[in-house]
Amino acid sequence: DKTYLGILTSIPAIDGYLLISIPESVNFVDIPYFLYKIVGLLALILIIGGGMTFWLTRRLARPLLHLCFVMNRVKKGDLSSHYRVDPMGFEINVVGSIFNEMIGSIVAHMKEIKAEKLEKEILMQEFKIGQEVQQSILPKELPDFPGLTIGARFISAKEVGGDFYDFLMQESVPHKRLMISIADTAGKGIYACLYSLSVRSMLRSYAECYEDLSEIIKKTNNLFCHDTGDSGVFVTAFVGFFDHETKEFHYSNCGHHPAILRRKNGTIEKLTTKGMALGVLPFHQVVTSKVQLDSGDMLLLFTDGIVEAHDEKMKMFGEEKLISHFEARSGLEPQQIVDEIIEEVALFADGAPQFDDLTILTLKVD
């Protein structure tokens, strides 16, 4: 009772037929419809898959785009921009974290540079003030004192120091006298200049009130000790009086280099006394000495910046070389001697940086 569909074909080789039949109720595949379904399914997969791929690509690219954005902001100077870690950043998160650390290091380094720059500006300002103070305590011009021809030179080192030299005329004593002082304050910077200014002012003040050299130095030191306290600051000084009438040089050495006396006949003598630097301990007495000078005699006073000037190998100029140059220039005037010795020191140093002031005085008895 079923309807069959069949295909009948002959088979000549066996002189027979082959009948292939199938009930009509069997569903045959509708090829066009099947193709439509396949195409529709593929289209759906393409749309959904493409959309997902597009979204996933955009999502995965977001950390990289954010990192590029942060880099661009940093490029424009906004160092506050930082990469934020993304859950889907993966390797980009690692790069971003390294970038954040780099920006943090740059910011910290910039802060250090700013702090160093500020410190340098403060230091330069201090140097400027120190140099102004240092220049203010030096005589604007050399005194015109009868019986003496004077030469002097001061060259400031890169660092501000505490060298000074000074002259003060005393006319209230029986004979007109000239106080000559040269000093070097231990240490550098503006505080050394201020201590130098203090000592110079004290020496001048007491020299206006007292005639005795030992009394002037003792009172200067004892007052200066109140200023220095426990700071450890001290000042080496060589102070003397030249008497116009007698040509006598009355002097005292307070821990300073000896003065070099070159007699007219070429003999070299060192003038010094026992004595401690100013500002270390109170003085109960001060040792002084006197020497008779004659026409043609010359005095050389200097600070340690001269003899301790060094070349690149740290070899020092030394006192012997200084005395040798002083002896070799017996026929020159004091200022010429000073200038040529400074030139010799510069040639010896050969450009090596010096860290102490160069101060030198030369006095010739007329």
Side-chain angles (χ1 to χ4, degrees), residues 139-145 150-153 165 167 335 361:
K140 298 297 184 290
E141 57 184 21
L142 298 177
D144 183 13
F145 190 78
I150 303 172
R153 189 86 177 269
Y165 64 87
F167 304 98
Q335 192 59 51
L361 301 177

Side-chain angles (χ1 to χ4, degrees), residues 92 126 134 186 296 320 340 342 345 351:
I92 302 299
E126 181 178 318
Q134 203 166 29
E320 290 184 7
E340 291 196 11
I342 289 292
V345 172

Side-chain angles (χ1 to χ4, degrees), residues 271-326:
L271 307 183
T272 189
T273 62
K274 292 182 178 180
M276 189 183 297
L278 305 177
V280 180
L281 292 171
F283 290 168
H284 300 292
Q285 61 180 5
V286 174
V287 178
T288 65
S289 185
K290 295 181 181 180
V291 62
Q292 183 64 47
L293 302 180
D294 297 312
S295 297
D297 291 347
M298 296 191 74
L299 275 174
L300 176 69
L301 294 89
F302 56 93
T303 60
D304 54 11
I306 298 289
V307 293
E308 292 179 6
H310 57 271
D311 58 15
E312 292 183 353
K313 297 180 180 179
M314 300 305 291
K315 182 180 178 182
M316 291 189 180
F317 189 75
E319 189 176 282
E320 290 184 7
K321 192 181 292 292
L322 174 63
I323 294 174
S324 174
H325 286 297
F326 184 43

